[in-house]
Amino acid sequence: MQKFLPFLSTICMFLFFSVLTEGQSLDSIRQVAREGNYSKARELCRERSDYEENTDIQFLEGQTFWWEGRASEAKKILENVLEQNPQHIDAISTLTAVEVANENYNEAIRRARNGLQLEEKNEDLIYYIALANAELGQLKSASRELDELFKINPQHKKGLELKQSLDVFKIPGAIALYQSVQWFKDPYERCLYTTTMEAPIGDKEFK
């Protein structure tokens, strides 16, 4: 046993210095963020030796800003992620959500459609297109997108809530759809929900 001690000691030292130079793993940093320690998670992201070229680490940093409700800071980092890696589908999806929250609906639709060219059955992107169209008063377009969404996932929670809101539009001019951001304790449960409000605009696509 003693002859193996120097070998084991070398392995332990190697692992120790690897952690010091490379930083914590992506999963461990994500767990810190999930616990709501956003600033600490960002600090750990930037301590990684591969931060500059690791778009997953940069994405997580941007995501923490989004979870914290700091959309402009999240957008800046997410756009930088896409400059380095235009196919980063999670960055595209989160940036689309940011655009919806900022009421940049046409830009949200553009980003989402670009993302669907990479992953045509991405439920989040299809939902965001439906939601953005609803916000723009393009209710028929929104319904068509929801139909596509339900082909993939008939039980999509946010999609079903949006459909329920759209079903109220029986009479043109009855109500308008408004989007609100609901913040939950678990950042992975934070999502966009719809509410309704009296307003004389109705379906702009109504014939």
Side-chain angles (χ1 to χ4, degrees):
M1 179 64 182
Q2 289 184 348
K3 65 180 180 180
F4 291 108
L5 290 179
F7 175 73
L8 292 174
S9 177
T10 301
I11 293 296
C12 290
M13 290 297 292
F14 173 78
L15 294 174
F16 174 74
F17 284 110
S18 293
V19 171
L20 287 180
T21 56
E22 295 180 7
Q24 292 193 27
S25 69
L26 178 61
D27 286 341
S28 65
I29 299 174
R30 185 180 288 116
Q31 183 59 39
V32 172
R34 284 179 122 183
E35 293 169 356
N37 299 320
Y38 304 124
S39 60
K40 180 61 177 179
R42 289 191 287 270
E43 179 183 325
L44 293 172
C45 284
R46 291 191 170 272
E47 286 178 357
R48 291 267 307 204
S49 60
D50 61 345
Y51 172 83
E52 294 297 334
E53 63 269 10
N54 190 325
T55 52
D56 288 335
I57 289 292
Q58 294 175 41
F59 166 72
L60 178 57
E61 180 188 23
Q63 200 173 36
T64 63
F65 279 118
W66 171 233
W67 290 338
E68 203 171 7
R70 297 163 65 175
S72 61
E73 290 158 293
K75 182 176 180 179
K76 181 178 179 180
I77 293 175
L78 294 171
E79 287 178 336
N80 184 62
V81 168
L82 291 177
E83 284 182 11
Q84 297 179 66
N85 181 5
Q87 297 187 340
H88 198 296
I89 195 68
D90 290 332
I92 293 173
S93 180
T94 304
L95 192 51
T96 300
V98 171
E99 298 292 7
V100 171
N102 288 339
E103 300 184 3
N104 298 324
Y105 303 123
N106 287 316
E107 180 63 13
I109 292 172
R110 184 191 71 79
R111 289 190 183 279
R113 293 208 181 283
N114 287 342
L116 289 174
Q117 293 179 16
L118 303 172
E119 191 175 298
E120 63 179 10
K121 293 185 178 181
N122 186 293
E123 298 175 18
D124 289 337
L125 294 177
I126 297 172
Y127 168 75
Y128 290 137
I129 293 175
L131 178 58
N133 272 308
E135 294 287 1
L136 290 169
Q138 309 297 326
L139 306 188
K140 290 182 180 179
S141 295
S143 293
R144 284 194 294 269
E145 295 297 335
L146 288 177
D147 289 341
E148 293 301 313
L149 175 61
F150 295 142
K151 289 178 184 177
I152 301 169
N153 180 5
Q155 302 303 318
H156 192 280
K157 180 180 178 181
K158 292 181 287 183
L160 290 171
E161 290 175 350
L162 179 56
K163 183 180 185 304
Q164 185 177 16
S165 294
L166 293 178
D167 287 343
V168 180
F169 284 78
K170 302 292 186 181
I171 303 174
I175 60 176
L177 196 66
Y178 285 81
Q179 176 269 334
S180 62
V181 179
Q182 301 291 335
W183 302 106
F184 294 88
K185 182 176 181 181
D186 184 346
Y188 288 92
E189 292 297 325
R190 293 175 177 177
C191 44
L192 300 171
Y193 285 94
T194 55
T195 57
T196 54
M197 188 175 193
E198 297 294 331
I201 60 171
D203 187 351
K204 293 183 180 179
E205 295 179 314
F206 182 79
K207 302 297 183 184

